[in-house]
Amino acid sequence: MNQMNSRTMKKISSLAMGSSMMILSMLPAASAFAQTAPTVTLTEVGHNTVAAQVSVGSPVVFTASSTVSNAEYQFWVESPNGTWTSTGAYSSNNSYTLTPSQSGDYLVTAYALSSSQLATGDYAAATNIGTDGNQQVDGVFVNSSVTLSTPSASVVAGHAFTVSATATNIYDAQYQFWYENPSGTWKQSGNYSSSNSFTFTPSQSGTYTFIAYAKSPLAINDPEGALYSNVASGTVLPVVHIGLTDSASSLTNNGKSTDTFTAAVTDANGNPMSGVAVTFTSSASGVVSFASGTATTATTNASGIATATGTAGITVGTALVTAEADMQTSHAVTVTTVQGAATGISGVTVSPSIATVTASQSGSTAYNDTVTIGTAGT
């Protein structure tokens, strides 16, 4: 029997069934049962709402009940390697204690037959179907875990957001993701699948909360059959629009001239956004810089306006200034510095053959022009 078949087929104990076989997937679908069809309920003592999480050697007790008249029960266990084994012959004992011997996930199910069906060998009438129409297969996780991770950086609303999970000691893990949006509504990724990541596009800004579940393929699709991860969160930033203007596009390279940069921040509907941190950045600090260097941060006021003052350097050239808020950047404003006129004489030198005058621009060492005014002695 190959591994896939071992996940879907169980050889019924010769003590009870002789050489006959029962295939889980061949049981009738829920729609094939009349409302009066017998059902089975399986519970894990002490773990009625979530899957049991235990260590090797820690016992877990399962109890079964059924609407079958004079029910006889048989329990089956799937070990972490995917092999199903019977715990014994049918009997009136409706309890089974699993004592796991190794790490991994175990599955337990219980079948019910009436004593008269058992007496006549009507094993095809055995059922493990619950009131919800699904097979009752509960999980036990031994030293198993599910770890959920979210992006380290924030994401802007309207852009893809991806979370991922890693299951340890869960056979052929199937995943399902849930997230709570900033409005408090929980949504799921869809049916369980083998994909350990989930990508969606958030439409709201704010904090999102995430959790992931992992289970083996045959475990029931509820908290008693799956193991849940740590809870993680992620931030989604609002869509903003940033307009940037300045008061003077051309400055003298005197180390003193200033230019005021004004950023207007609005939301996607054009409404001013107050309290938003705006970072102004210069591409060339030698041309224009801020008090703190190449960048400075200001916060928008009630009108959505933030301002910053840039000061010209002593370099003649061009700089691009931008404003960034919530990972979104404005268009660039171009600032150019030009050479200023000389404002004073910085020194006179005389050599045996010529005399020179060096003129400088006040406050700047950049302007340095040497003029020959005559030949010495003439």
Side-chain angles (χ1 to χ4, degrees):
M1 184 182 298
N2 62 34
Q3 191 175 65
M4 179 177 293
N5 286 336
S6 72
R7 297 293 294 185
T8 58
M9 182 178 292
K10 305 185 303 180
K11 181 183 291 183
I12 301 304
S13 168
S14 60
L15 295 174
M17 301 291 292
S19 62
S20 62
M21 304 291 287
M22 179 175 292
I23 303 175
L24 289 175
S25 60
M26 291 178 62
L27 286 173
S31 59
F33 286 85
Q35 292 183 351
T36 58
T39 59
V40 173
T41 300
L42 182 65
T43 60
E44 298 174 77
V45 178
H47 306 279
N48 289 338
T49 57
V50 295
Q53 301 176 51
V54 299
S55 301
V56 172
S58 299
V60 179
V61 178
F62 292 82
T63 59
S65 61
S66 178
T67 59
V68 172
S69 176
N70 298 316
E72 302 275 340
Y73 299 93
Q74 185 180 62
F75 291 86
W76 284 80
V77 178
E78 183 190 44
S79 61
N81 66 4
T83 302
W84 282 94
T85 57
S86 168
T87 64
Y90 276 92
S91 74
S92 59
N93 182 11
N94 70 333
S95 178
Y96 167 68
T97 299
L98 170 68
T99 303
S101 59
Q102 66 184 93
S103 296
D105 63 312
Y106 294 75
L107 294 179
V108 176
T109 190
Y111 284 85
L113 277 175
S114 70
S115 56
S116 60
Q117 290 168 331
L118 184 61
T120 59
D122 187 12
Y123 299 111
T127 182
N128 68 344
I129 302 299
T131 57
D132 60 357
N134 296 315
Q135 298 181 79
Q136 299 301 286
V137 185
D138 277 1
V140 175
F141 296 94
V142 184
N143 299 328
S144 304
S145 64
V146 183
T147 303
L148 177 69
S149 59
T150 57
S152 57
S154 299
V155 174
V156 177
H159 292 72
F161 195 115
T162 300
V163 297
S164 59
T166 301
T168 302
N169 287 329
I170 298 179
Y171 184 87
D172 194 16
Q174 307 291 299
Y175 298 88
Q176 185 182 70
F177 297 85
W178 287 78
Y179 67 92
E180 182 186 31
N181 64 24
S183 299
T185 301
W186 281 95
K187 298 183 178 181
Q188 64 164 296
S189 59
N191 296 328
Y192 277 89
S193 76
S194 59
S195 175
N196 71 329
S197 65
F198 168 58
T199 300
F200 75 110
T201 303
S203 59
Q204 289 179 272
S205 61
T207 300
Y208 285 71
T209 302
F210 301 88
I211 192 169
Y213 288 86
K215 70 179 191 69
S216 58
L218 291 181
I220 56 177
N221 297 343
D222 68 19
E224 291 184 58
L227 186 63
Y228 60 88
S229 71
N230 55 299
V231 176
S233 62
T235 301
V236 175
L237 301 173
V239 175
V240 299
H241 299 286
I242 311 170
L244 181 63
T245 58
D246 68 337
S247 58
S249 297
S250 180
L251 301 173
T252 302
N253 69 325
N254 58 8
K256 297 180 179 179
S257 301
T258 60
D259 192 357
T260 300
F261 300 92
T262 301
V265 181
T266 58
D267 62 19
N269 297 317
N271 302 309
M273 298 181 66
S274 63
V276 177
V278 179
T279 299
F280 299 84
T281 303
S282 170
S283 64
S285 59
V287 175
V288 62
S289 62
F290 303 97
S292 54
T294 58
T296 189
T297 300
T299 303
T300 57
N301 58 23
S303 300
I305 301 297
T307 60
T309 299
T311 302
I314 60 175
T315 301
V316 174
T318 299
L320 298 178
V321 176
T322 57
E324 184 271 334
D326 287 346
M327 298 178 64
Q328 293 154 94
T329 305
S330 71
H331 68 279
V333 168
T334 302
V335 179
T336 302
T337 51
V338 296
Q339 184 70 64
T343 57
I345 304 298
S346 62
V348 177
T349 59
V350 179
S351 69
S353 58
I354 62 172
T356 62
V357 175
T358 300
S360 65
Q361 179 182 356
S362 177
S364 172
T365 58
Y367 191 98
N368 194 343
D369 195 12
T370 300
V371 180
T372 301
I373 59 177
T375 301
T378 60

